[in-house]
């Protein structure tokens, strides 16, 4: 839950940043379109360069935000797996299981073999919510 909360906070920050850059670009684009008929050739070229810089800035910000979110997601996932693995191993050894599979890796199993709730309880015991 803590990792999810941290990720969602980062996601909201990045979305706000990208949205601000997009709005700035769109505003420059509107302004350019409105002034286009009265601009001299030199001013038109200058405005086009400014518009291209704003577009590039927006695209770079969006790309960086995507990369940051991907890295944060991978990092959170690795941290969660690092916390889960020893708990699963300890539980399996303590209860005599030879194998423990993630539910998505099993085509069919009787409910009696599902230890998800027990593992969640053990995780909450070992790593209490902050």
């Amino acid at each position: 839950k803590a990792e999810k909360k941290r990720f969602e906070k980062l996601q909201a920050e990045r979305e706000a940043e990208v949205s601000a850059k997009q709005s700035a670009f769109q505003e420059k684009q509107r302004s350019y379109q409105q002034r286009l008929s009265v601009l001299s050739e030199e001013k038109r070229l200058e405005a086009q360069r400014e518009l291209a810089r704003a577009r590039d800035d927006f695209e770079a910000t969006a790309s960086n935000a995507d990369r940051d979110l991907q890295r944060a997601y991978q990092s959170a996932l690795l941290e969660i797996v690092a916390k889960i693995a020893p708990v699963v191993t300890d539980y399996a050894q303590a209860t005599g299981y030879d194998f423990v599979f993630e539910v998505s890796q099993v085509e069919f199993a009787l409910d009696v073999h599902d230890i998800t709730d027990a593992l969640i309880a053990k995780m909450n015991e070992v790593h209490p919510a902050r």
Side-chain angles (χ1 to χ4, degrees), residues 51-127:
L51 189 58
R53 279 191 298 273
R55 182 196 65 234
D56 291 346
D57 189 31
F58 159 62
E59 289 174 352
T61 299
S63 180
N64 289 338
D66 284 345
R67 273 195 305 278
D68 287 350
L69 290 173
Q70 287 173 356
R71 278 190 218 115
Y73 179 79
Q74 290 299 324
S75 176
L77 195 57
L78 289 173
E79 190 172 324
I80 291 168
V81 168
K83 287 180 180 179
I84 291 173
V87 172
V88 171
T89 300
D90 289 348
Y91 181 86
Q93 289 172 343
T95 54
Y97 280 92
D98 293 327
F99 303 98
V100 175
F101 295 98
E102 184 180 332
V103 106
S104 66
Q105 298 171 332
V106 177
E107 188 68 34
F108 173 79
L110 295 174
D111 287 343
V112 69
H113 299 296
D114 186 355
I115 59 172
T116 302
D117 291 340
L119 287 173
I120 290 171
K122 190 69 173 168
M123 277 295 295
N124 289 336
E125 182 182 307
V126 174
H127 301 285

